[in-house]
Amino acid sequence: MMPGLSLKVSQSLTLTPQLQQSIRLLQLSTQELQQEVEQMLDENPFLERAEDEADAPAEREPAANEAASDFVADGAYESSATAEFDTEPVAEVSAEALPWEGDDGRDTAAEDWGGDMPARGAGTDDEDYSALDHTHAHESLQDVLHRQALALRLSAEDRAALYFLIESLTDDGYLEESLAELAEGLVDASDAEALDEALHHLTVALRLLQSLDPVGVGARNLQECLVLQLKALQRAQAGPAEALETALLVCHESLDLLARRDVRKLVQLTGCKEAAVREAMALIAGLEPRPGRPYANVERNVIVPDVIVRPAAATRAGQPQWRVQLNPEVMPKLRVHDVYASALRGHKGGHAGMQQRLQEARWFIKNIQQRFDTILRVSQAIVERQKNFFVHGELAMRPMVLREIADELGLHESTISRVTTAKYMATPQGTFELKYFFGSGLGTETGGSASSTAVKALIKQLLDAESPAKPLSDSKIAELLQQQGIECARRTVAKYREALRIPPANLRKAL
């Protein structure tokens, strides 16, 4: 083949580093954003936390944001901190199975954003949201057990073994490894005498551990956990003796049959009367399958909302209005370092590397600003479309897909998906992920559609009102929905019921 030259015309999309950063920041959760901010503060000397307004420099340099203003991403806009909604549309802008109970700061819009003053109108009302206090001490299960162990008179070896077992517990209060496995991790497995001695001390320590509160702690499996609690009730005479004896027999026979509520087979295996088995099953249902649960550190699961929705003071045409605002607690307070930026400007020509870091700091602040602006825009559109939800709850949720919000705001569906993932909205109805407000629709007899979220709420309402002695089957629920004009197949009902973590009818039936 002879070599030759040819021309080819093609189109390609190139993402600038700034736009790549903007997209990446948009999809980060609040916690991930905070980590990103801390990393940038450590790496970029031109970036600093904003000062309080009283300490802010009096001078402002208009030229500080010139580079940042050269780029405006598609869909960039001047957002407002709060928005009141009535019937007017948002203006379009282009661009488990057991039934347990139980810079120098010269540009106030981009470089002081979230600091001395709100950016581009994205301020917040501090009085509408008070941050949760996460500073109070949390006492873990291990702390509770160690404190009880101090009252025991033990040898140094037994105390060390008890300490080791306490530290080996899971969050639920279980020992996942056997004593033999734990002993092998303490001594040389080839030394039989040392291994036997370690196993002896661990066995003594296990009996001591299982005598501590909460009852059931230190169990190796669910069966042992339940048996420990039942024996504690027997010692305390805290229940009918016959029921406790039957409950112990039931636990020793088969937890699978207990989970399936197979009373007939349990009667055959235990040799007890049906009434006694049912009473024992009810007793077991009141036990705690996870002894460590009350001491779980729930603070790590606390969700801090990105957006807050509050009712406005006034209504219009009898319809409530809603105010949508960003949560000040999640907005980083950043600015470009005044001293370093001034020193760099004083150097004619400057150092190219330092100029680049200064520009990176400006772009980082601007991209964070744009992230929150986009979150606010999307949240406003969601509130407008789902305003009945904020008054009447889940039953009033309407079907909505990402494409609707994307078309309304002139953004791509992928952008809406990034915005609504791991971002949360605090409402009078509770705190929800933005994705919660999106859902497919089911057909109705009138030709309209009902939101899958509303249908789930209706199913839960029906199940809450059912007779415990005669729970509703999935087929019956489908019939009841049909009577209300909602076309929902039995398989769909089963799927929604499982999503609500509600067991089937045979497991909901009263004992």
Side-chain angles (χ1 to χ4, degrees), residues 316-481:
R316 184 178 300 174
Q319 296 296 323
Q321 296 176 268
W322 300 96
R323 183 171 53 180
V324 183
Q325 62 187 53
L326 295 171
N327 179 5
E329 299 297 324
V330 302
M331 295 159 58
K333 298 174 175 61
L334 302 174
R335 61 181 296 157
V336 173
H337 200 292
D338 182 25
V339 176
Y340 293 167
S342 299
L344 185 61
R345 280 196 314 275
H347 261 87
K348 291 187 177 181
H351 190 279
M354 290 295 99
Q355 290 286 0
Q356 182 178 357
R357 299 313 297 270
L358 175 59
Q359 183 68 350
E360 289 176 358
R362 291 169 175 164
W363 277 114
F364 185 71
I365 295 173
K366 184 176 180 65
N367 285 334
I368 289 182
Q369 172 191 350
Q370 185 172 332
R371 174 188 185 272
F372 281 98
D373 282 349
T374 306
I375 291 174
L376 183 60
R377 283 182 72 194
V378 172
S379 299
Q380 290 171 351
I382 290 174
V383 171
E384 166 58 24
R385 287 180 172 264
Q386 300 288 8
K387 51 182 178 288
N388 289 333
F389 163 82
F390 300 98
V391 179
H392 305 292
E394 293 178 320
L395 290 173
M397 189 79 81
R398 57 171 289 185
M400 185 172 68
V401 294
L402 298 175
R403 184 178 63 256
E404 296 179 45
I405 302 298
D407 292 343
E408 181 176 331
L409 300 181
L411 301 172
H412 195 274
E413 284 185 56
S414 62
T415 300
I416 306 301
S417 178
R418 292 186 182 97
V419 171
T420 56
T421 300
K423 317 296 188 304
Y424 294 87
M425 177 186 290
T427 77
Q429 300 290 341
T431 300
F432 305 92
E433 187 179 15
L434 295 186
K435 275 191 180 301
Y436 170 79
F437 297 96
F438 296 84
S440 58
L442 296 176
T444 63
E445 289 182 351
T446 59
S449 60
S451 169
S452 57
T453 303
V455 175
K456 288 179 185 178
L458 184 55
I459 291 174
K460 187 176 187 304
Q461 191 178 79
L462 292 171
L463 294 177
D464 289 341
E466 71 180 358
S467 169
K470 193 176 181 180
L472 299 173
S473 65
D474 294 339
S475 299
K476 183 61 177 179
I477 296 173
E479 291 178 12
L480 293 175
L481 293 175

Side-chain angles (χ1 to χ4, degrees), residues 68-198:
S69 62
D70 291 339
F71 169 79
V72 179
D74 291 342
Y77 73 114
E78 301 295 325
S79 67
S80 64
T82 61
E84 295 184 359
F85 294 101
D86 49 19
T87 56
E88 297 291 331
V90 176
E92 293 188 5
V93 183
S94 57
E96 197 144 318
L98 290 176
W100 306 110
E101 300 289 341
D103 153 19
D104 49 31
R106 301 317 195 234
D107 180 82
T108 59
E111 297 177 7
D112 282 351
W113 191 81
D116 302 328
M117 60 188 299
R120 305 165 79 183
T124 56
D125 185 354
D126 293 336
E127 295 180 359
D128 283 344
Y129 178 82
S130 57
L132 295 174
D133 181 12
H134 308 298
T135 60
H136 65 275
H138 169 75
E139 193 172 38
S140 68
L141 174 63
Q142 281 75 14
D143 294 334
V144 172
L145 294 172
H146 284 313
R147 189 174 67 247
Q148 296 178 65
L150 291 174
L152 301 176
R153 299 182 63 180
L154 304 174
S155 65
E157 293 82 1
D158 289 339
R159 185 172 298 280
L162 179 57
Y163 181 92
F164 180 70
L165 290 185
I166 291 175
E167 291 299 316
S168 301
L169 292 173
T170 66
D171 290 341
D172 289 334
Y174 283 87
L175 276 175
E176 292 185 333
E177 295 180 275
S178 67
L179 295 183
E181 292 173 330
L182 292 172
E184 290 174 357
L186 291 174
V187 299
D188 186 357
S190 62
D191 190 340
E193 183 177 349
L195 192 60
D196 288 343
E197 184 179 0

Side-chain angles (χ1 to χ4, degrees), residues 9-27:
V9 179
S10 64
Q11 291 182 332
S12 63
L13 177 64
T14 302
L15 296 179
T16 64
Q18 295 83 4
L19 186 55
Q20 292 177 18
Q21 184 187 68
S22 177
I23 294 173
R24 185 169 57 83
L25 292 177
L26 189 61
Q27 66 188 8

Side-chain angles (χ1 to χ4, degrees), residues 107-326:
D107 180 82
T108 59
E111 297 177 7
D112 282 351
W113 191 81
D116 302 328
M117 60 188 299
R120 305 165 79 183
T124 56
D125 185 354
D126 293 336
E127 295 180 359
D128 283 344
Y129 178 82
S130 57
L132 295 174
D133 181 12
H134 308 298
T135 60
H136 65 275
H138 169 75
E139 193 172 38
S140 68
L141 174 63
Q142 281 75 14
D143 294 334
V144 172
L145 294 172
H146 284 313
R147 189 174 67 247
Q148 296 178 65
L150 291 174
L152 301 176
R153 299 182 63 180
L154 304 174
S155 65
E157 293 82 1
D158 289 339
R159 185 172 298 280
L162 179 57
Y163 181 92
F164 180 70
L165 290 185
I166 291 175
E167 291 299 316
S168 301
L169 292 173
T170 66
D171 290 341
D172 289 334
Y174 283 87
L175 276 175
E176 292 185 333
E177 295 180 275
S178 67
L179 295 183
E181 292 173 330
L182 292 172
E184 290 174 357
L186 291 174
V187 299
D188 186 357
S190 62
D191 190 340
E193 183 177 349
L195 192 60
D196 288 343
E197 184 179 0
L199 186 57
H200 167 72
H201 288 297
L202 288 175
T203 303
V204 172
L206 180 61
R207 291 200 299 268
L208 292 170
L209 174 60
Q210 293 180 348
S211 69
L212 302 178
D213 288 330
V215 180
V217 71
R220 274 71 61 86
N221 50 56
L222 177 60
Q223 182 185 53
E224 185 178 17
C225 179
L226 299 178
V227 168
L228 288 171
Q229 295 179 62
L230 290 170
K231 288 183 176 180
L233 291 175
Q234 279 187 323
R235 291 192 297 270
Q237 298 181 349
E242 184 181 358
L244 289 170
E245 286 290 346
T246 305
L248 284 170
L249 288 173
V250 169
C251 288
H252 283 302
E253 290 297 340
S254 175
L255 289 185
D256 289 337
L257 295 177
L258 177 63
R260 297 199 302 266
R261 296 192 176 190
D262 196 331
V263 178
R264 186 176 60 183
K265 286 189 177 180
L266 286 173
V267 168
Q268 295 173 355
L269 288 172
T270 61
C272 300
K273 295 181 180 179
E274 181 177 333
V277 171
R278 290 186 180 276
E279 187 178 3
M281 291 172 67
L283 183 61
I284 294 171
L287 301 179
E288 174 56 76
R290 299 175 182 176
R293 176 159 45 187
Y295 304 96
N297 187 0
V298 297
E299 290 184 4
R300 62 189 176 192
N301 297 322
V302 169
I303 294 173
V304 180
D306 301 83
V307 180
I308 303 168
V309 178
R310 295 288 183 266
T315 61
R316 184 178 300 174
Q319 296 296 323
Q321 296 176 268
W322 300 96
R323 183 171 53 180
V324 183
Q325 62 187 53
L326 295 171

Side-chain angles (χ1 to χ4, degrees), residues 17-55:
Q18 295 83 4
L19 186 55
Q20 292 177 18
Q21 184 187 68
S22 177
I23 294 173
R24 185 169 57 83
L25 292 177
L26 189 61
Q27 66 188 8
L28 296 180
S29 66
T30 297
Q31 183 178 5
E32 292 169 337
L33 178 64
Q34 291 172 350
Q35 294 172 351
E36 187 79 11
V37 169
E38 293 298 329
Q39 182 177 346
M40 284 296 294
L41 286 169
D42 290 339
E43 295 177 355
N44 196 315
F46 292 98
L47 196 65
E48 67 172 350
R49 298 191 184 277
E51 305 167 359
D52 293 335
E53 188 174 353
D55 301 326

